[in-house]
Amino acid sequence: MASWGKRLAGVRGVLLDISGVLFDGSEDGGVPIPGSVEAVARLKRSQLKVRFCTNESQKSRGDLVRLLRHHGFDISESEVTAPAPAASLILKERGLRPHLLVQDGVRSEFDQIDTSNPNCVVIADAGESFSYQNMNKAFRVLMELESPVLISLGKGRYYKETSGLMLDVGAYMKALEYACGIEAEVVGKPSPEYFRSALKEMGVEAHEAIMIGDDIVGDVGGAQRCGMRALQVRTGKFRPSDERHPDVKADGYVENLAEAVDLLLQHADE
Amino acid sequence: MASWGKRLAGVRGVLLDISGVLFDGSEDGGVPIPGSVEAVARLKRSQLKVRFCTNESQKSRGDLVRLLRHHGFDISESEVTAPAPAASLILKERGLRPHLLVQDGVRSEFDQIDTSNPNCVVIADAGESFSYQNMNKAFRVLMELESPVLISLGKGRYYKETSGLMLDVGAYMKALEYACGIEAEVVGKPSPEYFRSALKEMGVEAHEAIMIGDDIVGDVGGAQRCGMRALQVRTGKFRPSDERHPDVKADGYVENLAEAVDLLLQHADE
């Protein structure tokens, strides 16, 4: 493999995944991954541009940022690209009235959206709200539409909480896709539009940007398909088999965010 | 299209789907589809061989037969091919110890099976038991196995109860397949092995048999792929668009089981 110097040359902007990179979530707020608070601070003091690009869809962007600040992270709402506000914009633009299958914590992102007489379904990482009854309700709404529209906030397979692996929204998206014979529109990683909106907000071209994430497919593969480079951290939902993934090869594998930032600060301006 | 005489010539055995053909289910037992009780009786008085081939996996075969007899159907356990007893045999043969994601009503079919220290997951049409917590538990069992085995009792997309359409086990099978990156083994229609076991139990060759069902893919397409003929009834989960299905064309569409039996008794020995 090429030297780190070659692999990181010309990087001007860094997109950071949040869950599994900054902290491991849990029902009672989660714990920061060791070294990550300092790593974010060092990155923000450098000349590199930084933006957070998450698929978190259980909480509103405001609640997520408050939680991260509580853990000591230097982060503000305007620095975060999150799927619920992005979806809210899309719904407005297209005049869509969603049936929401989401957790209460993220419902405020849709406060300005008309949800009467729904003409589409939006699903997020709903956790316990993915009951049979709620899934069946969403299914019936879709089956009654002439051209069913299903919008999924991300399509992750699973994520890691301190208690263990947790099924993510992608699994439930697949269930509804199969039951209705349709294909969902994904708002979130690895959708190229989503990465491009984060790059635009950061003001950096794809070839000058690098994504750091724990998801070999959603973070690494998705970013690379947009022309970015990508590192996988060995934290969060990382599994050793990811380094032998049949389709996706990261530009580098690092122990954690702290090591990634060490390497970036050393080599990015070479 | 060829005449009914040509289409039904040489039929010696009839496989009948149960839900949506004999009766429409509901939480309080369901209602027979008009004319079906008499149609089954007429069929059994004829020279045609008859067998019931169901994907019902919420109830044990005994409970299902008791319910149908209560509704007036002439049916016994030994005439029914059902996925739970079939899966139970497979588990025994292969020394598999399942984690069961099923409803309590069908658990008795697995009474003889060791479920300690599971090395596979079996899912059935679990209805309300498809909670996030139960799905996540099954997911974690699969993710901890070196070679995960997922057995799904059928792969139906949905079925119809008197209250409306209901998500079937296939949707949840897809969710686990996607989350774990695996492919499930299906015990039930449209698995060719399953149709073949029903034909064997009936003692009729595929080219002499006809399937009658309400599912254009699971019943009609599945039976045709095994060399059988198949009729779709316009009851149960039938939707008008089924008659324009891109991949599957039934050998005939009939209003209900009563019309199918009329035609069979008139033409099968031509």
Side-chain angles (χ1 to χ4, degrees), chain B residues 56 58-66 105-109:
Chain B
E56 165 66 50
Q58 285 205 350
K59 296 176 187 64
S60 69
R61 183 160 49 175
D63 286 347
L64 176 62
V65 164
R66 266 186 290 283
V106 79
R107 224 167 263 275
S108 62
E109 299 280 14

Side-chain angles (χ1 to χ4, degrees), chain A residues 14-82:
Chain A
V14 184
L15 285 185
L16 294 180
D17 180 28
I18 293 179
S19 172
V21 176
L22 267 49
F23 82 125
D24 280 324
S26 77
E27 272 190 16
D28 52 0
V31 290
I33 290 167
S36 286
V37 169
E38 299 75 16
V40 169
R42 289 164 64 209
L43 207 49
K44 293 184 80 168
R45 283 197 304 269
S46 78
Q47 295 195 319
L48 294 166
K49 293 197 177 185
V50 181
R51 191 166 179 85
F52 302 89
C53 184
T54 182
N55 269 10
E56 165 67 50
S57 65
Q58 285 205 351
K59 297 176 185 65
S60 70
R61 183 161 49 175
D63 286 346
L64 175 64
V65 164
R66 265 185 291 282
L67 175 66
L68 289 166
R69 292 183 68 85
H70 166 79
H71 284 311
F73 289 100
D74 173 13
I75 184 170
S76 67
E77 269 195 65
S78 63
E79 294 172 310
V80 176
T81 300

Side-chain angles (χ1 to χ4, degrees), chain B residues 177-194:
Chain B
E177 282 187 339
Y178 177 73
C180 303
I182 59 173
E183 201 170 325
E185 302 176 26
V186 176
V187 177
K189 301 175 285 186
S191 150
E193 291 81 5
Y194 191 73

Side-chain angles (χ1 to χ4, degrees), chain B residues 35-107:
Chain B
S36 287
V37 169
E38 299 75 16
V40 169
R42 289 165 64 208
L43 208 48
K44 292 184 79 169
R45 283 197 306 268
S46 79
Q47 296 195 320
L48 294 166
K49 293 196 177 184
V50 181
R51 188 165 181 88
F52 302 89
C53 184
T54 181
N55 269 9
E56 165 66 50
S57 65
Q58 285 205 350
K59 296 176 187 64
S60 69
R61 183 160 49 175
D63 286 347
L64 176 62
V65 164
R66 266 186 290 283
L67 175 65
L68 289 166
R69 293 183 68 86
H70 166 79
H71 285 310
F73 288 100
D74 173 12
I75 183 170
S76 67
E77 269 195 65
S78 63
E79 294 171 311
V80 176
T81 299
S88 183
L89 272 177
I90 290 169
L91 294 168
K92 257 187 227 162
E93 280 167 18
R94 289 167 54 186
L96 290 169
R97 300 180 305 275
H99 170 81
L100 297 170
L101 175 40
V102 304
Q103 282 208 351
D104 287 340
V106 79
R107 224 167 263 275

Side-chain angles (χ1 to χ4, degrees), chain B residues 135-207:
Chain B
M135 279 289 284
N136 211 47
K137 175 78 179 101
F139 163 67
R140 287 182 180 185
V141 169
L142 287 168
M143 290 297 274
E144 276 171 19
L145 297 174
E146 202 168 332
S147 304
V149 173
L150 171 61
I151 293 177
S152 183
L153 302 195
K155 57 181 243 185
R157 293 161 55 198
Y158 56 84
Y159 53 91
K160 197 185 163 200
E161 291 213 334
T162 49
S163 68
L165 298 183
M166 307 292 283
L167 279 173
D168 199 356
V169 61
Y172 288 89
M173 175 192 87
K174 287 287 170 188
L176 290 174
E177 282 187 339
Y178 177 73
C180 303
I182 59 173
E183 201 170 325
E185 302 176 26
V186 176
V187 177
K189 301 175 285 186
S191 150
E193 291 81 5
Y194 191 73
F195 278 115
R196 277 187 216 115
S197 70
L199 286 171
K200 197 173 163 189
E201 289 158 327
M202 185 163 62
V204 169
E205 299 286 325
H207 72 276

Side-chain angles (χ1 to χ4, degrees), chain A residues 127-128 130 132 135-136 139-140 143 155 157-158 163-167 170-172 174-175 178-181 239, chain B residues 127-128 130 132 135-136 139-140 143 155 157-158 163-167 170-172 174-175 178-181 239:
Chain A
E128 298 287 346
F130 279 131
Y132 181 76
M135 279 290 283
N136 211 46
F139 163 67
R140 287 181 179 184
M143 290 297 274
K155 58 182 243 185
R157 293 162 56 199
Y158 56 85
S163 68
L165 298 182
M166 307 292 283
L167 280 172
Y172 288 89
K174 286 288 170 186
Y178 176 73
C180 303
R239 289 157 67 98
Chain B
E128 298 287 346
F130 280 131
Y132 182 76
M135 279 289 284
N136 211 47
F139 163 67
R140 287 182 180 185
M143 290 297 274
K155 57 181 243 185
R157 293 161 55 198
Y158 56 84
S163 68
L165 298 183
M166 307 292 283
L167 279 173
Y172 288 89
K174 287 287 170 188
Y178 177 73
C180 303
R239 289 157 67 98

